[in-house]
Amino acid sequence: MSTFRIPGKGRVDSTKPVQFLFNGKTYAGFEGDTVASALLASGVHLVGRSFKYHRPRGILSAGSEEPNALLGIDHGPGRVEPNTRATVIEISPGLKTISQNHWPSLERDVGAINDVLYMLFSAGFYYKTFMWPKSFWNKVYEPIIRGTAGLGKSPIVPDPDIYASRFAHCDVLVVGAGPAGLAAALDAGRSGAKVLLVDEQAELGGSLLSETDAGVDGMTGWAWLKASVDELAGMSNVTLLPRTTAIGYYHQNFVGLCQRITDHLASAPEGTPRERMWKVRAKQVVLAQGAIEKPLVFDGNDRPGVMLAGSARSYLNRYGVKVGDSPVVVTSHDSAWLAAFDLARAGVKVAAIIDIRPAVPEHLTTSASALGIEVLLGWTVTGTKGRLRISSLRAKPIDGGVAQAREFACDALLMSGGWNPSLHLFSHTQGKLEWREDAQVFLPAKHIEQSRCAGAGNGNFGLAKVLAEGAEAGVAAATDAGFSGTVSAYTVSDELDMTGVSSRELPTDKNPSTAKAFVDFQNDVTAKDIRLAVREGFKSIEHIKRYTTTGMATDQGKTSNINGLAIAADAVQRQAPAVGLTTFRPPYTPTTFGAFAGYSRGGLFDVTRKTAIDAWAQERGAVFEPVALWRRAWYFPKPGEDMHAAVARECKATRDSLGIFDASTLGKIEIVGPDAAEFLNRMYTNPWSKLQPGRCRYGVLLGEDGFIRDDGVIGRLTTDRFHVTTTTGGAARVLNMMEDYLQTEFPDLKVWLTSTTEQWSVIAINGPNARNLLAPLIEGIDLSEEAFPHMSVATGRICGVPTRLFRMSFTGERGYEVNVPARYGRAIWEKLIAEGQAYGITPYGTETMHVLRAEKGYIIVGQDTDGTLTPDDAGLGWAIGKAKADFVGKRSLARPDMLKADRKQLVGLLTADPKVVLEEGAQIVLDPNQSVPMKMVGHVTSSYWSVSLGRSIALAVIEGGNARMGETVHIPMPDGTLRAEVTGTVFVDPENTRLSA
Amino acid sequence: MLLIRCPYCEAERPEVEFTYGGQAHIARPQNPSATTDDEWRDFLYIRANPRGIHYERWRHMHGCGRFFNAVRDTVTDKFVMTYKAGLPRPDQAELEAARS
Ligand SMILES: [Zn+2]
């Protein structure tokens, strides 16, 4: 079957056959093959349909720059990946690959009608076609665009693989293990520097893997390669990373590497990560990424069988595969001649070499004639034929007439428009580029990072030059990293000097309106599209690129950018730099989400903080909700109860007798020092100096802008020690804010701040029987009303364990908060549950807590406030220390906007229909009959079913709400407008008699 | 990811250890009540948005916890220098000269 394999040629292991599937059919290859080389060995060129026109497409290249041969690969359930490049995927036993973007089949594709409708799809067709009528957008255009957008099919089940990530540090990171990279790594390694050498391919060697002519130091290129890799592998200070792509080059020599570990293996040990993301900080970086061959731009240059000449040479020399039986070469660069020569020497009949240059070095024509290859100088290809594979081409002298045209039968056309340095990583660093008008290339100029470029990626072609520059770069990098070494000298034999020219699109003898000379194969952009964009007024490449989509596919224009730029520059009639080079962005090649996510998925995606009592709640079947990073018990359903029933029972039990609640997640900050009270005076709105030790106060914290940031009860333990509580989500933020003021605005104050959130378990006991439960268990604290009234704090012991006991309430009932060291939290909780059975003690969750506090009009910062409410807006004006000269935010409260009567103010709402519970977030209007869009005057912030009242209650912010008591407002909902009366915010026990009941 | 030198730890550490704290050298007025509405507005909300040298506050959040000041170039993102809170603002002309 592999009739295009040439026995004895190439580096694949012919003793290790590998079978895989392409579109359901079994193909054979060898270990060392890519999907592309194995398919070509079987004579398969047609591997996909193009994105826009559904044109048949083949394999253009032999590397990661491939724009055409994009396949879906299937390694089993969940291991499905679209748009992988056949030119880099190594074959493995049983690997399933499928072609994309066609229906019903690759050979017969209905979507190919787009190719005939070419005129409709030219540059900017999205912008032009889908403009009007407006009503068509939602129902017609968008569904069509979405249906046809994207290439390939996404996986539909979770990825079962694991992905690893790690940090690494090194002295010298060498990117690219071609001859330049190898020379750099060898000399850097010999200096003793810690070296990382990475290459995206399975085998180190780069261009050497495809080079069979030149020798180094008296050895063949391959022998030198083996000796070099062996030496590097033997150095303990050198790490070799094949199958590893340097995807991005970030600040201060931070480079991301994606290493592919298992995809090429038939099986891997359980637990082996599929890929590993390396985050490397290198002292010095050597970029030796090589160059990418440019296609020539002519009509029909995208037909299967048309490919890059250098790639055809790679398939022959590296994989032992001839890409056709009767190839023709068309080129503007010497290097393509070598492909023709190598193929001819391997027994392939090369029909012709067509070179657009009027003259070429003599040694080329001499060799061609010796090999019996016809040479046409100053000629070009004007078109190709063949439905699913090229079958012939037309050629004519560039300056000649149609009459001179000739037809060549062929099954492959090998093209070369010269070579372009791979600048991507250098470009990531914002390194400055320099345009060489003679060579029509951008080259790296000024380095921003501690880096250097070497080899073809630096514009230096030829093995001798590349090795020399690599060695020099390796020693220089090692030296800058603090080592010293000598630059190795290499003797290169049998190397030919390569020359070439650059061209724009080539002339055609076809009707220009139907000619399709492709620049960007992946996004189906032609030379004509680019010229059209310029005619329509686009002058900058950044605009041309977006209008035509050239260079915007997943290959980031690796094979198309410079051709597109040259054509645009020609159309604009300026030099390329004036039109600009598009910006390369990481990643260098498409990278899996798995590699980026690494270990951060599932339970490791984010921190889940749990209290000491969390496990008890889980064992009792609590339903949880996330609150900031914490998970908190939401409610405790009994068998058969839904949330509504459970919350109703929990509320009633707490108001009637006794409820118990895990409040451990509340933020806690210990503020200590001789100036602790003064610090609190400056931070909080309230006055603190006169608060007696043993007493508590509700504190309100503002930002400097006067808006509420946080609140909480603060207890004074001694004159110089305060126990501050914050909201659950605000703890870290509040501590940061306090540190900020203490360090930078009030450094004169002697105060120390310590987070104690995790040190204390906090158990809230609420209800008429709260004291009855606690009294027998507490030692050292007199719980009588006189000694320990509402808003008190004291230290003592509970069940023998030290405690800070607070008397406070977030429910309106008699309440205590038992703080014990976290390690005793669960034991004390269980003891309280056991002792509380006499009172029907009922554990409740955050939902019941919310209902009970809303019945009392206690706000939750972040729910009833949103960063635009002042204390007055929230009904907390009483908490402002009016006599204080200053506190954070005080000045802002006097700004004119803060004093307006129509500010949104917190009010209560009672719906006209008591059974209706409003939706939180619902918008409020004054006049339900006004035309839409209505003027919205506020929104519902909290809304619950109140068991105590047997009706719904709500809190809301409404413009000028305080002056609207008793008024009716309206809440438009999808199925009708609801009515509600504006009330005060306290719905239950406004006299606070129950606090001491 | 940037490397940032903490002037208190006297060590370079990765960016993830730090949090940004806004523009530096904006002192809270000694007596806010004495400021005009416009002065107070400027203190609260008006910030520089330079192309180039920018004075910033950073906190070594997951290290020593100290707030410090930094000079950073908004074009390259890179830090030019860091210095302890309370030290005077480095002269911009000198910084430009030192960098070129
Ligand atoms: Zn520090």
Side-chain angles (χ1 to χ4, degrees):
Chain A
M1 201 163 82
S2 304
T3 50
F4 290 84
R5 187 84 66 176
I6 298 171
K9 264 199 97 69
R11 302 175 64 86
V12 293
D13 188 344
S14 59
T15 66
K16 291 183 180 154
V18 176
Q19 292 199 320
F20 69 104
L21 290 164
F22 172 61
N23 283 349
K25 196 176 155 193
T26 301
Y27 288 86
F30 296 120
E31 202 172 293
D33 262 324
T34 62
V35 171
S37 68
L39 288 174
L40 290 170
S42 298
V44 176
H45 276 258
L46 172 67
V47 291
R49 290 274 177 170
S50 71
F51 177 52
K52 202 158 74 175
Y53 301 126
H54 290 244
R55 284 168 69 94
R57 287 286 166 81
I59 295 159
L60 181 78
S61 75
S64 64
E65 69 269 33
E66 179 61 34
N68 271 350
L70 304 179
L71 304 181
I73 59 169
D74 185 346
H75 286 282
R79 297 186 166 95
V80 174
E81 197 176 330
N83 300 326
T84 62
R85 285 141 292 142
T87 49
V88 301
I89 301 297
E90 296 170 65
I91 58 171
S92 56
L95 172 69
K96 288 185 206 152
T97 66
I98 51 158
S99 54
Q100 304 182 146
N101 212 36
H102 50 70
W103 183 86
S105 74
L106 175 59
E107 290 76 18
R108 302 190 165 276
D109 171 28
V110 169
I113 188 72
N114 287 4
D115 195 27
V116 181
L117 304 177
Y118 173 66
M119 295 307 290
L120 294 180
F121 292 85
S122 59
F125 86 102
Y126 282 103
Y127 309 109
K128 292 167 182 165
T129 311
F130 303 115
M131 290 287 286
W132 45 261
K134 192 180 168 191
S135 60
F136 266 41
W137 180 254
N138 286 339
K139 294 193 171 61
V140 182
Y141 294 145
E142 192 179 341
I144 290 175
I145 292 173
R146 291 213 182 279
T148 54
L151 201 55
K153 291 194 168 60
S154 308
I156 51 171
V157 294
D159 186 341
D161 282 316
I162 56 170
Y163 294 82
S165 75
R166 60 161 296 176
F167 288 93
H169 296 261
C170 67
D171 298 310
V172 180
L173 169 67
V174 181
V175 179
L182 287 169
L186 281 168
D187 277 351
R190 287 169 188 152
S191 79
K194 191 176 170 192
V195 175
L196 274 182
L197 175 61
V198 305
D199 194 284
E200 60 178 350
Q201 300 210 39
E203 200 179 357
L204 304 180
S207 62
L208 273 179
L209 299 168
S210 307
E211 175 59 55
T212 47
D213 292 340
V216 184
D217 290 350
M219 293 179 261
T220 66
W222 286 4
W224 181 82
L225 170 60
K226 182 173 188 318
S228 301
V229 172
D230 285 349
E231 183 184 343
L232 287 166
M235 292 187 205
S236 60
N237 55 324
V238 175
T239 304
L240 302 178
L241 291 171
R243 296 191 180 89
T244 302
T245 306
I247 58 166
Y249 192 156
Y250 309 92
H251 288 312
Q252 288 165 298
N253 275 7
F254 191 67
V255 181
L257 311 176
C258 183
Q259 179 186 17
R260 292 171 296 282
I261 300 166
T262 62
D263 266 6
H264 64 290
L265 301 173
S267 65
E270 186 68 25
T272 310
R274 180 184 175 216
E275 296 178 347
R276 175 180 292 118
M277 188 71 88
W278 292 65
K279 299 162 193 178
V280 179
R281 186 78 70 175
K283 284 188 186 150
Q284 297 289 321
V285 171
V286 176
L287 296 173
Q289 293 184 277
I292 294 171
E293 197 167 19
K294 286 185 292 183
L296 286 171
V297 183
F298 54 87
D299 179 50
N301 65 343
D302 67 324
R303 213 173 289 282
V306 182
M307 67 193 310
L308 295 168
S311 300
R313 192 168 182 239
S314 284
Y315 286 117
L316 180 69
N317 292 336
R318 180 172 173 188
Y319 300 100
V321 173
K322 52 178 177 176
V323 297
D325 281 326
S326 52
V328 171
V329 169
V330 58
T331 184
S332 65
H333 196 268
D334 297 351
S335 62
W337 292 63
L338 302 188
F341 299 164
D342 285 352
L343 280 161
R345 289 186 195 113
V348 177
K349 173 69 192 153
V350 179
I353 297 175
I354 299 165
D355 200 310
I356 67 170
R357 296 171 293 177
V360 301
E362 200 183 325
H363 65 86
L364 296 177
T365 47
T366 310
S367 297
S369 116
L371 289 163
I373 304 171
E374 181 178 1
V375 170
L376 298 163
L377 297 182
W379 279 53
T380 184
V381 171
T382 59
T384 63
K385 281 186 188 159
R387 194 172 82 84
L388 299 177
R389 168 93 179 258
I390 188 168
S391 58
S392 70
L393 60 84
R394 277 164 65 78
K396 76 171 186 66
I398 286 189
D399 303 323
V402 180
Q404 290 169 269
R406 283 175 60 187
E407 196 97 359
F408 287 87
C410 63
D411 63 353
L413 176 54
L414 316 182
M415 60 180 167
S416 179
W419 297 79
N420 190 45
S422 183
L423 301 168
H424 296 244
L425 287 185
F426 177 76
S427 205
H428 293 175
T429 67
Q430 301 180 5
K432 297 283 173 294
L433 298 169
E434 186 179 278
W435 175 249
R436 293 281 176 80
E437 184 65 18
D438 52 345
Q440 294 282 302
V441 289
F442 280 104
L443 292 181
K446 186 168 176 252
H447 285 257
I448 303 294
E449 296 289 344
Q450 294 295 310
S451 64
R452 30 180 72 70
C453 294
N458 204 26
N460 286 310
F461 297 93
L463 192 51
K465 271 193 227 162
V466 161
L467 287 170
E469 194 176 38
E472 223 166 89
V475 171
T479 305
D480 285 352
F483 298 81
S484 64
T486 17
V487 180
S488 300
Y490 297 97
T491 314
V492 172
S493 53
D494 300 313
E495 193 187 17
L496 302 172
D497 207 21
M498 293 289 109
T499 63
V501 300
S502 200
S503 73
R504 327 218 180 284
E505 72 270 43
L506 298 167
T508 179
D509 51 8
K510 211 172 174 178
N511 176 350
S513 70
T514 58
K516 283 188 215 78
F518 284 89
V519 173
D520 183 328
F521 294 84
Q522 198 180 344
N523 266 354
D524 268 350
V525 181
T526 65
K528 208 168 52 189
D529 290 328
I530 293 171
R531 290 193 183 273
L532 177 63
V534 171
R535 275 205 307 281
E536 293 184 0
F538 296 94
K539 302 287 185 239
S540 151
I541 197 68
E542 291 291 355
H543 293 147
I544 295 168
K545 162 181 160 177
R546 280 161 181 81
Y547 191 57
T548 62
T549 73
T550 189
M552 292 185 68
T554 59
D555 63 350
Q556 284 197 61
K558 289 186 177 65
T559 55
S560 63
N561 275 343
I562 294 295
N563 279 337
L565 180 60
I567 292 165
D570 185 55
V572 179
Q573 294 187 313
R574 300 174 76 176
Q575 281 204 349
V579 182
L581 180 64
T582 60
T583 311
F584 298 112
R585 294 193 172 84
Y588 177 65
T589 50
T591 307
T592 61
F593 284 113
F596 284 113
Y599 300 111
S600 305
R601 58 188 289 192
L604 296 178
F605 179 70
D606 206 352
V607 177
T608 301
R609 299 174 76 183
K610 294 175 184 173
T611 72
I613 297 154
D614 177 273
W616 185 94
Q618 180 158 358
E619 289 158 22
R620 297 306 180 286
V623 177
F624 292 92
E625 68 165 341
V627 180
L629 289 176
W630 294 93
R631 75 163 200 173
R632 301 193 71 181
W634 195 10
Y635 56 97
F636 291 83
K638 290 197 163 171
E641 278 185 341
D642 61 7
M643 175 166 160
H644 182 78
V647 170
R649 174 180 49 75
E650 292 169 14
C651 285
K652 184 167 185 340
T654 305
R655 292 240 186 269
D656 287 355
S657 175
L658 190 57
I660 182 169
F661 175 68
D662 179 6
S664 304
T665 65
L666 281 183
K668 293 169 278 291
I669 300 168
E670 191 105 338
I671 298 187
V672 184
D675 296 322
E678 174 57 18
F679 180 67
L680 284 172
N681 275 338
R682 298 189 193 181
M683 295 303 300
Y684 282 80
T685 61
N686 323 61
W688 300 95
S689 303
K690 289 180 182 156
L691 184 70
Q692 294 302 307
R695 298 289 292 158
C696 303
R697 182 165 287 164
Y698 170 75
V700 177
L701 181 72
L702 307 183
E704 203 67 91
D705 53 16
F707 298 124
I708 297 170
R709 287 291 195 282
D710 203 80
D711 68 350
V713 170
I714 298 172
R716 188 170 200 169
L717 298 163
T718 59
T719 51
D720 62 353
R721 181 178 295 267
F722 290 82
H723 179 121
V724 174
T725 65
T726 74
T727 57
T728 292
R733 201 166 51 235
V734 170
L735 181 58
N736 188 60
M737 179 176 165
M738 288 180 173
E739 278 289 350
D740 192 347
Y741 276 91
L742 184 57
Q743 289 185 32
T744 67
E745 299 292 353
F746 313 138
D748 53 307
L749 298 182
K750 288 192 174 61
V751 176
W752 289 265
L753 308 173
T754 309
S755 166
T756 55
T757 302
E758 305 224 326
Q759 276 60 43
W760 298 105
S761 276
V762 183
I763 302 167
I765 304 290
N766 281 267
N769 281 313
R771 181 168 58 181
N772 297 335
L773 169 67
L774 289 175
L777 308 176
I778 296 281
E779 296 166 66
I781 304 170
D782 178 356
L783 290 188
S784 69
E785 201 58 30
E786 302 70 36
F788 202 63
H790 182 58
M791 298 304 267
S792 297
V793 60
T795 57
R797 302 182 86 79
I798 180 167
C799 308
V801 167
T803 183
R804 276 184 191 171
L805 184 67
F806 284 76
R807 170 103 188 261
M808 57 191 274
S809 175
F810 200 44
T811 61
E813 301 301 317
R814 172 185 285 273
Y816 298 87
E817 289 194 358
V818 179
N819 285 247
V820 292
R823 63 184 177 280
Y824 300 118
R826 178 160 179 177
I828 298 300
W829 173 276
E830 289 185 350
K831 179 74 175 166
L832 290 167
I833 291 276
E835 296 297 320
Q837 291 309 310
Y839 309 103
I841 191 167
T842 299
Y844 63 89
T846 51
E847 187 65 17
T848 290
M849 178 267 281
H850 277 116
V851 175
L852 298 176
R853 66 91 199 174
E855 288 175 339
K856 288 291 296 178
Y858 298 147
I859 65 160
I860 289 190
V861 172
Q863 175 168 343
D864 300 300
T865 72
D866 61 2
T868 66
L869 261 63
T870 65
D872 271 331
D873 298 340
L876 299 175
W878 56 267
I880 294 175
K882 303 282 189 303
K884 291 205 294 182
D886 190 17
F887 55 83
V888 172
K890 178 180 168 72
R891 173 63 183 84
S892 289
L893 297 179
R895 297 183 68 222
D897 277 0
M898 301 299 213
L899 303 170
K900 286 185 175 167
D902 64 348
R903 292 187 58 79
K904 285 184 182 167
Q905 291 154 345
L906 191 73
V907 295
L909 286 184
L910 289 173
T911 48
D913 178 350
K915 299 261 181 300
V916 170
V917 181
L918 294 171
E919 266 191 47
E920 289 176 356
Q923 296 294 321
I924 297 164
V925 303
L926 297 178
D927 171 11
N929 299 316
Q930 61 188 303
S931 59
V932 286
M934 297 188 183
K935 174 163 170 50
M936 297 175 283
V937 296
H939 68 274
V940 178
T941 61
S942 292
S943 178
Y944 306 95
W945 177 259
S946 165
V947 178
S948 304
L949 300 175
R951 62 152 300 141
S952 68
I953 57 167
L955 298 173
V957 289
I958 295 181
E959 285 179 13
N962 288 342
R964 297 190 192 281
M965 292 298 145
E967 284 183 25
T968 296
V969 293
H970 303 268
I971 301 99
M973 297 300 291
D975 45 5
T977 297
L978 304 171
R979 277 189 304 132
E981 183 192 334
V982 179
T983 70
T985 55
V986 184
F987 300 99
V988 168
D989 187 27
E991 295 79 25
N992 288 330
T993 54
R994 302 185 62 86
L995 288 173
S996 304
Chain B
M1 183 164 58
L2 291 164
L3 292 171
I4 302 173
R5 183 177 176 80
C6 172
Y8 294 97
C9 296
E10 297 188 336
E12 257 191 350
R13 289 288 179 268
E15 191 182 331
V16 288
E17 291 187 14
F18 298 84
T19 50
Y20 178 61
Q23 188 178 335
H25 301 293
I26 298 175
R28 187 174 189 268
Q30 283 294 324
N31 183 3
S33 304
T35 61
T36 66
D37 283 337
D38 284 357
E39 285 166 350
W40 188 250
R41 174 205 62 200
D42 290 355
F43 162 70
L44 280 182
Y45 297 117
I46 305 303
R47 295 294 180 267
N49 185 20
R51 184 183 191 281
I53 292 296
H54 191 225
Y55 299 89
E56 300 175 340
R57 287 162 14 100
W58 285 76
R59 185 181 182 204
H60 195 185
M61 185 81 169
H62 303 291
C64 64
R66 301 295 296 270
F67 283 84
F68 60 89
N69 292 332
V71 181
R72 202 171 60 84
D73 186 329
T74 61
V75 176
T76 64
D77 285 351
K78 288 182 186 173
F79 282 80
V80 178
M81 65 177 293
T82 57
Y83 51 103
K84 292 178 179 176
L87 292 181
R89 165 152 92 176
D91 180 64
Q92 177 148 357
E94 280 173 31
L95 286 168
E96 304 272 11
R99 284 195 314 143
S100 57

